[in-house]
Amino acid sequence: QYMFGEQMLVAPAVEKSADGNFSNVSVWLPEGEWIDTATGELLKGGKTLKRKYTLSEVPVFVRKGAIIPLQKGATRVTPGSYKELALEVYPGADFSTELHEDDGVSQGYLEGESVSIPLSVKSSAGSTLLTGGKANGSFKGFLKERPLEVRIMRSAPPKSLAVDGKKIEWSRKPAASFWSYDGDKAAIIVNLPKIDLSKGVTLEIATDAKSDALADG
């Protein structure tokens, strides 16, 4: 097993499946609360756990509160700014981090040619506040305006959702400027067609705390 950054732990399945369906995995989780991304289950760390996985499941664990930046719809990493940004958020704890970008091909970042975007999440019972701060810095090819998709994992459908104080309505299927719900993954999906990263953005989500508890596993 190994850490992928500070908030993600990967424990590959290396044992042959005993019954053709499940492979056994023994994983040690550091202290704290961790989420099994294959099942959505909240786990206590500081010990070794025995888990079972199908061939289609990947044993990846993230800390509660983690913000995982993604490049939406990409099959390879290309130089410069990602064309479309995505954030996968696991609410339940307060957390802050930074998303760094540079041109991806030169050493200009050593001379300050890069961008840092502060990200934070604050969680309480039935409430999640996600903040993307103002982008700091610049480099050749930096795209300050881009689409952003936010996925709030392990959550019930929200009672209300607002971006920069403006209410966002529900759509049955993912659509620009709306939120939708993925019942298979218990995830709220917010699609924002254009975000000015130089100004920042805030996402406020109100849910039912009792319903959120049902998303555990």
Side-chain angles (χ1 to χ4, degrees):
Q1 64 183 63
Y2 57 91
M3 295 295 296
F4 190 72
E6 297 179 349
Q7 303 300 311
M8 182 181 292
L9 184 147
V10 186
V14 294
E15 289 187 19
K16 181 179 179 180
S17 173
D19 58 4
N21 296 313
F22 292 93
S23 181
N24 295 317
V25 173
S26 178
V27 56
W28 178 81
L29 294 179
E31 291 286 345
E33 293 182 298
W34 295 80
I35 296 162
D36 185 337
T37 61
T39 65
E41 187 177 356
L42 182 63
L43 304 168
K44 297 287 186 180
K47 57 186 176 181
T48 298
L49 300 174
K50 304 289 185 181
R51 311 287 291 169
K52 290 180 177 290
Y53 294 92
T54 68
L55 289 175
S56 63
E57 294 174 331
V58 180
V60 176
F61 306 83
V62 297
R63 292 186 187 273
K64 187 167 74 169
I67 302 173
I68 310 295
L70 306 170
Q71 186 175 188
K72 184 182 176 185
T75 56
R76 62 187 299 173
V77 177
T78 56
S81 289
Y82 292 171
K83 303 301 181 185
E84 295 185 63
L85 289 175
L87 298 175
E88 203 166 81
V89 183
Y90 292 82
D94 294 350
F95 177 70
S96 61
T97 187
E98 291 185 341
L99 172 62
H100 293 274
E101 282 193 330
D102 57 55
D103 63 18
V105 292
S106 76
Q107 292 188 324
Y109 67 93
L110 295 174
E111 305 297 326
E113 296 176 15
S114 63
V115 171
S116 178
I117 304 171
L119 302 171
S120 66
V121 61
K122 292 186 178 295
S123 299
S124 60
S127 175
T128 298
L129 175 64
L130 176 67
T131 302
K134 297 179 181 179
N136 298 308
S138 185
F139 61 88
K140 185 177 180 179
F142 171 62
L143 300 176
K144 74 170 187 175
E145 293 187 344
R146 273 175 277 173
L148 172 66
E149 180 178 285
V150 180
R151 308 169 192 169
I152 308 297
M153 312 301 291
R154 299 181 72 255
S155 179
K159 294 191 293 185
S160 64
L161 194 152
V163 175
D164 291 335
K166 181 180 178 181
K167 185 177 180 181
I168 301 294
E169 300 293 340
W170 169 79
S171 171
R172 181 179 177 185
K173 295 182 178 180
S177 300
F178 288 85
W179 69 265
S180 57
Y181 189 73
D182 185 338
D184 289 336
K185 295 184 178 180
I188 302 167
I189 300 174
V190 186
N191 285 280
L192 305 176
K194 184 184 290 187
I195 291 295
D196 187 340
L197 297 172
S198 67
K199 296 180 179 179
V201 63
T202 59
L203 180 62
E204 300 172 83
I205 302 163
T207 57
D208 185 306
K210 292 182 178 179
S211 297
D212 281 345
L214 298 177
D216 183 8

